[in-house]
Amino acid sequence: MTNSNIIFLLISNNYVLLDLYLIMILNYTYYYSQDIILAAVDNPSNACEWAFAEMLNNPEILETAVEELDRVVGKQRLVQESDFAQLNYVKACAREAFRLHPVAPFNVPHVSMADTVVADHFIPKGSYVILSRLGLGRNLKVWDEPLEFKPERHLTGTGNVVLAENRLRFISFSTGKRGCMAVTLGSSMTNMLFARLLHCFSWSLPSNESSIDLSTAKDSMALAKPLLAVAKARLPAHLYPK
């Protein structure tokens, strides 16, 4: 429907105005809800699933993460948000999953507001700019062995590991003025989900599987086959909800 069509309809029938308004509201609500689901649910869960898949194929990484949880938290209580600052290896595993297995292949499109130059590339005003999440996270010029799951690459000195990447070497929650407004919440959700699953259960491969198939789905960046693993409780019974 063109602008002229809309103007004509609004003049000829007042009810059309309400109909059009409701359609606009429903459309905006749908796309906004999709953004919320993708950013607040799909992004953390995708990272956690990929991290577990990679770690089950690399038992030494899984063991190191669990050892850190036992050292920091122990086995007499559950992980709390106050523990995150000391769980740098666990967070490095989640961060590595964001780098290697982004929830989407590209970032949300942006429009250049003025002529500019980025990395010697001229970008005219009005250009649509789309960042490749997959390309950034697997860039050979930035990452050593980019296709390998190596959490230790994110452990630099004694600094606190965070899931956000402000230098755009990969995209977890984006950055800058158009970055995710809920990066703190998203990071906390990811850390809590991931840490508690690691801490509360012992994870192993099914008896009939020798490894996890890390193939990517054809229509998304998720695992081609949903992750299937064996979980056994490893903490005192009273810590699990009945």
Side-chain angles (χ1 to χ4, degrees):
M1 181 178 291
T2 65
N3 291 336
S4 59
N5 293 143
I6 294 175
I7 292 172
F8 171 76
L9 289 171
L10 295 184
I11 293 174
S12 63
N13 190 339
N14 289 333
Y15 288 105
V16 176
L17 174 60
L18 179 60
D19 291 341
L20 289 172
Y21 180 73
L22 289 175
I23 291 172
M24 290 172 63
I25 292 296
L26 289 173
N27 284 337
Y28 279 122
T29 302
Y30 171 76
Y31 288 113
Y32 186 63
S33 65
Q34 291 296 101
D35 286 344
I36 291 175
I37 291 172
L38 181 65
V41 179
D42 289 351
N43 198 21
S45 63
N46 179 74
C48 288
E49 185 176 25
W50 273 109
F52 269 101
E54 292 278 6
M55 294 165 77
L56 284 167
N57 282 353
N58 295 275
E60 68 282 358
I61 297 178
L62 180 61
E63 182 179 352
T64 301
V66 173
E67 287 176 352
E68 181 181 65
L69 283 159
D70 287 345
R71 183 177 67 255
V72 173
V73 182
K75 293 186 177 181
Q76 300 305 314
R77 64 178 179 88
L78 297 176
V79 176
Q80 302 299 325
E81 192 170 351
S82 57
D83 297 314
F84 293 167
Q86 301 179 70
L87 296 175
N88 281 324
Y89 191 81
V90 171
K91 290 184 292 184
C93 292
R95 183 178 163 89
E96 181 71 341
F98 277 121
R99 178 196 70 83
L100 187 55
H101 303 289
V103 69
F106 297 100
N107 205 34
V108 176
H110 290 71
V111 177
S112 174
M113 302 300 291
D115 291 348
T116 188
V117 176
V118 177
D120 296 328
H121 294 283
F122 174 67
I123 302 176
K125 177 181 178 180
S127 300
Y128 283 88
V129 180
I130 303 176
L131 298 179
S132 171
R133 289 174 175 251
L134 203 60
L136 288 172
R138 302 184 181 189
N139 187 353
L140 281 167
K141 296 180 180 179
V142 176
W143 303 103
D144 177 46
E145 296 182 290
L147 299 182
E148 297 297 319
F149 188 83
K150 299 171 62 175
E152 61 273 12
R153 72 172 86 241
H154 303 289
L155 299 173
T156 55
T158 57
N160 181 40
V161 174
V162 296
L163 301 188
E165 171 50 52
N166 295 324
R167 295 168 59 190
L168 278 181
R169 296 181 300 167
F170 67 91
I171 297 176
S172 53
F173 298 98
S174 198
T175 187
K177 294 181 179 180
R178 299 296 183 268
C180 176
M181 294 183 294
V183 59
T184 302
L185 175 61
S187 296
S188 295
M189 289 173 60
T190 306
N191 288 331
M192 185 64 77
L193 172 64
F194 188 46
R196 284 201 172 180
L197 285 174
L198 281 171
H199 187 229
C200 290
F201 302 96
S202 296
W203 295 90
S204 60
L205 295 169
S207 59
N208 60 335
E209 298 288 343
S210 59
S211 65
I212 299 296
D213 181 3
L214 298 179
S215 300
T216 305
K218 294 181 179 180
D219 57 350
S220 73
M221 296 301 296
L223 280 165
K225 298 179 181 179
L227 179 61
L228 181 63
V230 179
K232 295 182 180 179
R234 61 186 301 271
L235 302 180
H238 70 274
L239 294 178
Y240 299 89
K242 296 181 181 179

